[in-house]
Amino acid sequence: MTVPVRLFGHRLTLPALIGLIIILVNVAAAVGAPVIAPFDQADIVGDAYADPDPQHVLGLDNLGRDLFSRLVYGARMSIGLALIITCLSFGLGVTAGFAAAVLRGWADVLLSRLVDLLLSMPTLIFAFVVLSVLGTALPVLVVTIAVLDAPKVFRLSRALAMNIGALEYVEVARLRGEGLWWVIRHEILPNAAAPLLAEFGLRFSFAFLFIAALSFLGIGVQPPAADWGSMVRDYRDMINLDAMAPLYPAGAIAILTIGVSFVVDWMLAIHARGQGEGA
Amino acid sequence: MLRLIGQRLGLGLLTLVAASVLIFAGTEVLPGDLASAILQNTATPESLAELRQELGLNRPAAVRYFDWASHAVVGEFGRSLASHREVVVEIAPRLRNTLFLASYAAIVAVPLAVGLGLMAAIWQGGVYDRAVNFATLLTISVPEYLVGYILIKYFSVRLGWFPSLANVTPDTPLLSRIWLTFLPMLTLVLVVIAHMMRMTRASVLQIMSSPYIEMAFLKGLPKWRVVIRHAFPNAVAPIISVVALDLAYLIVGVVVVEVVFVYPGLGQLMVDAVSKHDVPVVQACGLIFAAAFILLNMAADVLAILSNPRLRHPR
């Protein structure tokens, strides 16, 4: 099931192409929200609960705001937040993971045990505990989720660095007298890039679903700011009027996650194949 | 074997203690303590100091942890900051409701997932098998609230078969309880079933490539018989582990589902407590959820040992 389109020198599969298109559309909506959205997200443009018409393709919400515009602006919040969280958790996890693999000894033991401990508890529950004291300001949410997610990145990057670190060329570099940071940057990182990129996609999905779940539960993004999760929460009573309103943002969350996992599957398949051929 | 199981149990207990430290530390070591969380914007230096005194926050954290943990062991979690009632009184009926919903979902999901997974293994590579793979990918990506609201929209609002709110009280009879919580149960089942099913299929298929299975085929046995009589018993151990892990996931899923269906469970209580900064309730709920999660993980290990004859009768 391949299509004649290439990316990074590999043929795309049909699901990967679909996933890529989904991601591009969403990113475009997030970046170009003010241009794409016909109305501002906070503007009241008509009667509450109005049905769709040519100007308001998805109809109006419980306060008379344009649903489509809010959905487009919601993409900005949801995707932007998830990206920041993923970058942060990657920075933390990869640095700690590589350091543990290269340093070995007590630093490795200490970090690994701490990570085991954090992973022995459901992430959502621990996030609740922390947020109950710290409140739900955006920076708090970002740092909390990133720190709770970093252990998973740590595990993967430590395992990768351990495998690569045992190879001859790394030994050569160390015997040459290169420093720790140089070895990580020039020998380990380039060789760990492909699986780390796939992991980035997975962690993005996780952060994206996690922040949406918190917002849905009312302890994530707070009004007047709105991401897709908090939109589901705002519109949940409209379901009893047989309206589609809460299903749009919830569906948008699902579609983007599916798109990302299609692309991640494709990247993992390439990586597995490349290793199998010894390339 | 007993030593092995004992080790796992000990490890589980240790993890639980560590988790309790983590839950306590999560609310203590961070900037902004309990007193400032309660008072929020109305805090003055005097009122903060007074409240800290009243809550005993002036004592060292280690002392307060042992105080909290030793009371938690006998089920005393102090009083709720919001309702001023005993935390245990708040939690007990909620916990019962959550356990009911989770076991209801587990009882439906486990046999269904294992059965469907076996069918996927028998018809490996067929249309049914591919449909299962695709469905798994979908349900892993789809959040619980989307499934929940779709079910509400069609089965409750359009068809009117089930209520959209799972409004149970302590004296709701069992039969109407089952009916009231049918949609929440179905949501949870739909969210976990695909993964369980795919893992069942993978475990069976892995066994299917061993020589003794080929022997069974060469004897002329039909495929369903080979799968059910020869492959499945040896795939039970990995399947049990996966089922236990998926049930541990159910614990988290239950929080969201309870909010969707406004079901009076522990998850709903915890979410409310988080937004009210009601730390004693949050800590108690967190400890219960963490304990259930750790217990299920431990059960997965122990059952895997018990179902593996090589570990059961070590030489």
Side-chain angles (χ1 to χ4, degrees), chain A residues 117 132-134 217 236 242 262, chain B residues 18 31-32 137 149 153 158 277:
Chain A
L117 183 58
S132 71
V133 175
L134 290 184
L217 295 173
R236 59 184 170 169
D242 200 16
F262 276 157
Chain B
L137 194 66
Y149 284 126
K153 184 173 167 66
R158 286 266 171 94
H277 302 285

Side-chain angles (χ1 to χ4, degrees), chain A residues 176-211:
Chain A
R176 212 161 56 214
E178 304 288 3
L180 171 68
W181 183 238
W182 195 95
V183 173
I184 289 178
R185 260 185 62 86
H186 292 263
E187 305 290 355
I188 297 180
L189 203 55
N191 291 293
L196 280 182
L197 193 64
E199 180 71 7
F200 190 87
L202 279 181
R203 302 275 42 101
F204 172 84
S205 307
F206 175 84
F208 176 71
L209 286 174
F210 200 86
I211 188 90

Side-chain angles (χ1 to χ4, degrees), chain B residues 35-249:
Chain B
S36 49
I38 298 168
L39 292 175
Q40 295 282 319
N41 301 332
T42 60
T44 60
E46 296 83 46
S47 65
L48 271 178
E50 196 178 319
L51 190 64
R52 285 201 181 110
Q53 180 74 42
E54 189 190 321
L55 295 170
L57 292 176
N58 296 334
R59 295 174 297 155
V63 173
R64 276 180 293 129
Y65 169 72
F66 282 110
D67 190 34
W68 175 72
S70 58
H71 282 96
V73 170
V74 290
E76 277 177 32
F77 291 98
R79 283 177 184 278
S80 155
L81 298 178
S83 68
H84 302 289
R85 290 167 49 191
E86 287 274 341
V87 174
V88 188
V89 179
E90 298 245 318
I91 284 182
R94 301 295 196 114
L95 179 61
R96 230 170 285 135
N97 283 343
T98 295
L99 283 178
F100 174 79
L101 179 57
S103 0
Y104 186 16
I107 289 168
V108 175
V110 174
L112 203 62
V114 172
L116 292 172
L118 280 177
M119 276 158 67
I122 293 174
W123 293 313
Q124 182 208 352
V127 178
Y128 171 78
D129 189 25
R130 263 178 285 161
V132 167
N133 274 336
F134 188 68
T136 316
L137 194 66
L138 283 188
T139 51
I140 287 171
S141 311
V142 171
E144 296 89 353
Y145 39 90
L146 177 60
V147 179
Y149 284 126
I150 289 178
L151 291 178
I152 290 181
K153 184 173 167 66
Y154 292 99
F155 289 105
S156 160
V157 178
R158 286 266 171 94
L159 296 169
W161 290 354
F162 300 98
S164 65
L165 302 180
N167 239 332
V168 298
T169 55
D171 39 45
T172 310
L174 183 66
L175 268 180
S176 69
R177 201 174 262 256
I178 288 176
W179 177 70
L180 280 168
T181 53
F182 185 82
L183 286 186
M185 176 280 289
L186 192 59
T187 310
L188 283 172
V189 168
L190 287 174
V191 171
V192 292
I193 198 172
H195 187 247
M196 269 189 211
M197 211 159 121
R198 189 144 151 181
M199 297 310 283
T200 305
R201 172 185 173 277
S203 310
V204 172
L205 284 182
Q206 205 194 347
I207 306 280
M208 293 293 279
S209 59
S210 33
Y212 82 95
I213 295 290
E214 195 173 352
M215 177 66 205
F217 275 120
L218 293 176
K219 277 197 300 191
L221 294 180
K223 187 157 187 186
W224 65 266
R225 201 180 149 84
V226 174
V227 169
I228 291 168
R229 287 283 301 147
H230 296 248
F232 182 62
N234 282 302
V236 163
I239 291 174
I240 288 177
S241 308
V242 168
V243 164
L245 291 181
D246 277 331
L247 292 184
Y249 172 77

